[in-house]
Amino acid sequence: MNDRYFERAVETMPRDQLEKLQEEKLLGDLLPWAYERSPLVRDTWERTGVTIDDIKTMDDFREKVPFIDKDAIRRFRDGSNDRYGGLLCVDPLRAGGPFTAVFSTSGTTGDPTLVPSVTSGPSILTREFWEMGCRPGEYFVEMLFTYRGPGIHQTIRGIGATPVFVDHSPFEFPNVYRLSRELRPTGWYTMSTPLILALDQMAPSMGIDPVDMFASYKGVVYAGEPLGARARALLESWGVDFFVHTGVADVGAATECREHDGCHIWEDIAFVEVLDPEGDEPVADGERGELVGTTLVDKIAPLVRYRSDDLVRVTQERCACGRTHARMWPVGRKSDEVVVDGVSVLPGDIWPAIESVPETSAALFQVIRSGRELDRLRLRVGYAREGPHGLADLRGRVVDAVEATIGVAPDVELVPNEELLRQGPPHKIPRVAKR
Amino acid sequence: MSSTVRMPAPDVWGVGRVLIGGQTVPWAVSQRDVDDESRAHVVSMRRLGVGVGDVVVICSLLSETIHVFPLEQAANLVGARYSSTDATEFDAFRTAAMIRQVSPTAVIGVNRDVVTGLRNLGHDLREVFEPVGAVATTDDDAHRALEHAGLAPRRWLKLGPTSGFECGERDGVHFDAARLRVGVGGDGGLTVTTTANRLTACADLPIGLRGELVSDPCPCGSDDPRVRLTQSSG
């Protein structure tokens, strides 16, 4: 185990074997289980006239199995009085069973949906933490932006390290600085854009030298939203080797390896498809599409062909690290997209323009999205200071920067950064607002 | 999503924090510590009315893990399930949503930020919490707000590396005398001493609160001693 792989045989498994493993898990185990026990899966399939007997091959799966999405779960929940949205495949009343906790989705896109969970044992993130270089006997800062049970504690302990629990708040930095110098932790999960910007701003007054604070870390996991150029430059200036981390259609998570060339999707636990966002056809390898995920391991509340709303690029090309599992680059959310005069615009498209203006370089902005098709692009943009020539001048420079980047001149409302930060959870702000 | 491989577990289960006289101090605990705390909190769960098939919602922060994890395990030990929300203003909407969706028997960890968040969202505290059998608060602001709303909240009080709860009588926080000794220092401040074997032991640790010890049997039937606060819990 002294190499970079935590589970070498699985992480470097030849693709034909990996795909065979997926087929065995999906067709031989997960799918019959879910079809028999999940009311949502059974109901969704019956509505389209599909039964488990129709699914004999992976091609059958791709061609015939109907999709579900978060709205379908909410509809089932509200229409059937089933609090678990028809996902639960075990008896919720059986004491001592595997179902030990009830978590929920974040509620970013509406009423949170319940996620029944098994919370024993380390997660697959052990592979990522090991790849970062963290090893037994070391300390590992756990600064997750939300508390959802002991899964991450157990994962850190799963690589033989010890978690150090701190809150995802800039006011924790003095405490983290002290702990970092005393315990010399080697891993950090997770860092976010608001924390990076806050550290840059507050470090001098807090007596913190960020380079010194991060000196012991072999890897810092970054998550929450796309990493902009300014936040990236700050991390680099502090000497941080950071690893971008993202969710995989609510059936897994993906993290960069030390090659920093895409986030690895662990395909032994998740079967992923990348489809035309407006249809059902797969896009070519590396092309932008909607991520659709199917769990291969979750028997408590399995998601089958779950349309995530996430726009991604995915390649199955072997990574330079030697791993064979697919790699993913998040692009944005399908429901965040607006079309202005026929031009598709995602928050990520605007990001570099906002960052390029010094007073708005924190890239705190929102797209005002009253619908998908818009006559005018409206942006709410946060600023740190008015600049030498006042707000009107600043607004003009932001408009010019956006137009130069995407070819669409926006209407811009300027607000202080703090106003936008107040709207978000600790690790990000809502990038789309209805008004 | 679990991994099939794992390294030998480290001796230190985790490093959390304990409040000593208003200052946070790093606090290392072992697996044996958290297992023992979990067993001790089985009584707490029963005190809150949590039993087989129930759900308990725990509002907390990650920094509170050494106090919260034993509660989660204790919920499982009594045959219940737990749910987590963040004890923050922002996540208050999810606390309300979870109460509505999972009908918990108890909600633990309501603080002033959760109350502020609920109010900012236009929630009526009574409507949110009335369906819950037992609501345990962590500070005076939240406690008073719930009382003002016509509810009968109980206190969840951190006592150094452990914690205790009020029962339905709401007349002092019960603590486990087999594992902890609570004293009153010369200045009237409460101190705690671990009497069970712990990775990090403490003796006469000032916890920054004033109160009195109650050793009379509680009307709830428990012989556990209690701490009745005489000064703000924050």
Side-chain angles (χ1 to χ4, degrees):
Chain A
M1 188 77 75
N2 289 322
D3 63 16
R4 70 186 299 175
Y5 308 113
F6 192 71
E7 297 177 86
R8 173 187 281 272
V10 179
E11 293 174 47
T12 63
M13 182 179 280
R15 279 215 66 87
D16 58 341
Q17 291 180 31
L18 185 56
E19 287 165 13
K20 181 77 178 156
L21 178 68
Q22 289 184 312
E23 183 176 339
E24 288 170 2
K25 284 187 171 184
L26 183 61
L27 302 183
D29 187 15
L30 193 285
L31 215 52
W33 172 275
Y35 180 78
E36 286 300 320
R37 294 168 177 81
S38 164
L40 176 65
V41 167
R42 178 62 74 98
D43 180 70
T44 307
W45 288 34
E46 283 180 353
R47 285 172 190 272
T48 53
V50 177
T51 74
I52 192 68
D53 295 332
D54 297 323
I55 313 302
K56 308 264 189 235
T57 67
M58 292 303 283
D59 284 343
D60 291 338
F61 179 81
R62 293 185 185 92
E63 289 165 15
K64 297 175 184 172
V65 170
F67 301 107
I68 57 173
D69 60 18
K70 199 163 282 180
D71 284 339
I73 297 169
R74 291 187 183 120
R75 274 196 306 273
F76 194 94
R77 179 191 69 192
D78 299 340
S80 63
N81 206 23
D82 175 344
R83 63 173 65 165
Y84 300 107
L87 290 171
L88 196 62
C89 288
V90 296
D91 179 1
L93 296 178
R94 186 168 74 86
F99 164 34
T100 56
V102 189
F103 301 128
S104 81
T105 56
S106 64
T108 307
T109 60
D111 198 24
T113 55
L114 298 183
V115 182
S117 298
V118 180
T119 53
S120 61
S123 78
I124 213 79
L125 278 171
T126 45
R127 295 175 188 170
E128 279 94 331
F129 293 168
W130 191 266
E131 164 70 5
M132 290 196 314
C134 303
R135 293 294 181 266
E138 297 173 349
Y139 287 95
F140 196 118
V141 165
E142 183 176 344
M143 200 183 202
L144 190 58
F145 44 77
T146 186
Y147 184 82
R148 307 272 170 92
I152 299 299
H153 330 329
Q154 290 167 339
T155 302
I156 293 168
R157 288 173 53 75
I159 61 162
T162 296
V164 180
F165 307 110
V166 293
D167 296 325
H168 198 92
S169 160
F171 300 107
E172 283 279 66
F173 282 132
N175 190 34
V176 175
Y177 190 30
R178 182 180 61 169
L179 289 167
S180 295
R181 294 204 289 186
E182 288 175 6
L183 302 176
R184 312 299 295 167
T186 57
W188 180 319
Y189 182 93
T190 58
M191 181 55 85
S192 65
T193 293
L195 279 192
I196 295 166
L197 300 178
L199 179 60
D200 180 46
Q201 201 171 40
M202 298 163 75
S205 63
M206 288 177 164
I208 294 171
D209 172 3
V211 174
D212 186 33
M213 184 169 87
F214 288 115
S216 64
Y217 292 88
K218 297 173 182 170
V220 171
V221 176
Y222 172 87
E225 59 182 352
L227 182 61
R230 176 170 158 72
R232 180 180 293 270
L234 284 170
L235 288 174
E236 288 170 351
S237 73
W238 297 330
V240 177
D241 192 4
F242 55 90
F243 295 76
V244 173
H245 171 77
T246 187
V248 179
D250 289 356
V251 296
T255 312
E256 288 181 337
C257 66
R258 275 181 275 160
E259 304 300 326
H260 298 292
D261 189 18
C263 301
H264 283 279
I265 299 168
W266 298 117
E267 292 183 276
D268 55 320
I269 65 159
F271 177 73
V272 297
E273 302 165 86
V274 185
L275 305 182
D276 176 352
E278 305 305 322
D280 302 346
E281 293 302 310
V283 301
D285 189 83
E287 292 296 311
R288 176 160 141 175
E290 182 181 0
L291 186 66
V292 178
T294 299
T295 180
L296 298 176
V297 290
D298 180 2
K299 291 194 162 178
I300 304 295
L303 290 171
V304 176
R305 292 203 102 190
Y306 178 70
R307 291 199 84 126
S308 67
D309 191 53
D310 290 330
L311 298 175
V312 299
R313 292 191 299 111
V314 171
T315 183
Q316 293 185 345
E317 281 182 17
R318 188 188 184 94
C319 180
C321 72
R323 293 181 177 85
T324 50
H325 297 240
R327 284 168 292 148
M328 171 174 120
W329 292 263
V331 175
R333 271 183 181 276
K334 191 172 76 172
S335 55
D336 286 355
E337 183 189 44
V338 292
V339 177
V340 187
D341 282 342
V343 178
S344 162
V345 180
L346 282 164
D349 301 327
I350 302 165
W351 204 297
I354 306 292
E355 276 192 324
S356 71
V357 178
E359 294 87 346
T360 63
S361 63
L364 298 171
F365 68 92
Q366 294 178 320
V367 177
I368 310 303
R369 188 181 191 276
S370 51
R372 183 168 178 269
E373 306 273 344
L374 300 173
D375 295 331
R376 295 282 297 171
L377 176 63
R378 290 176 56 211
L379 302 178
R380 182 174 295 126
V381 180
Y383 63 91
R385 56 192 183 283
E386 291 189 9
H389 305 295
L391 285 182
D393 172 73
L394 176 57
R395 185 179 298 108
R397 285 186 284 131
V398 171
V399 169
D400 290 347
V402 172
E403 185 171 16
T405 303
I406 62 171
V408 175
D411 295 334
V412 171
E413 173 195 358
L414 291 171
V415 297
N417 279 343
E418 294 70 27
E419 191 173 312
L420 288 176
L421 285 170
R422 274 199 296 273
Q423 295 185 22
H427 62 297
K428 59 183 176 183
I429 65 163
R431 290 294 170 183
V432 170
K434 286 185 178 166
R435 55 193 168 83
Chain B
M1 273 209 294
S2 64
S3 171
T4 54
V5 177
R6 63 184 76 180
M7 295 287 102
D11 293 337
V12 181
W13 182 86
V15 179
R17 68 181 55 170
V18 162
L19 200 62
I20 302 178
Q23 300 289 316
T24 58
V25 174
W27 205 270
V29 298
S30 68
Q31 180 74 58
R32 190 178 62 179
D33 294 347
V34 295
D35 288 346
D36 190 54
E37 281 289 304
S38 302
R39 287 190 293 273
H41 274 302
V42 164
V43 173
S44 302
M45 287 298 137
R46 295 194 174 125
R47 192 164 276 143
L48 294 169
V50 177
V52 175
D54 291 339
V55 178
V56 54
V57 171
I58 305 175
C59 307
S60 68
L61 299 172
L62 200 52
S63 59
E64 298 176 300
T65 298
I66 64 169
H67 294 93
V68 168
F69 181 77
L71 300 178
E72 296 169 345
Q73 302 308 298
N76 287 162
L77 286 172
V78 300
R81 296 182 174 91
Y82 62 90
S83 182
S84 309
T85 61
D86 298 332
T88 62
E89 204 176 310
F90 173 79
D91 209 40
F93 82 98
R94 211 161 56 86
T95 297
M98 294 304 280
I99 291 172
R100 177 169 44 79
Q101 291 193 36
V102 304
S103 307
T105 305
V107 175
I108 296 170
V110 177
N111 66 6
R112 60 172 67 87
D113 291 336
V114 175
V115 166
T116 301
L118 290 171
R119 282 177 168 156
N120 289 346
L121 290 166
H123 282 294
D124 179 315
L125 294 178
R126 187 184 178 97
E127 282 180 17
V128 172
F129 291 110
E130 195 168 35
V132 182
V135 180
T137 58
T138 64
D139 59 55
D140 281 353
D141 289 347
H143 204 77
R144 279 194 293 266
L146 266 56
E147 284 183 329
H148 188 69
L151 300 163
R154 309 175 189 198
R155 290 187 188 274
W156 174 38
L157 187 64
K158 292 196 182 73
L159 297 163
T162 186
S163 65
F165 290 87
E166 283 187 332
C167 65
E169 300 296 326
R170 304 203 306 137
D171 186 24
V173 171
H174 288 267
F175 64 92
D176 185 343
R179 294 172 169 88
L180 189 77
R181 188 172 70 240
V182 177
V184 181
D187 61 351
L190 294 172
T191 62
V192 295
T193 300
T194 47
T195 54
N197 189 0
R198 289 288 183 264
L199 181 66
T200 308
C202 62
D204 298 325
L205 184 78
I207 58 172
L209 297 171
R210 289 173 187 273
E212 59 185 14
L213 296 178
V214 183
S215 53
D216 299 341
C218 181
C220 75
S222 168
D223 292 332
D224 283 342
R226 285 167 285 152
V227 174
R228 197 181 285 148
L229 291 180
T230 56
Q231 186 209 38
S232 168
S233 61

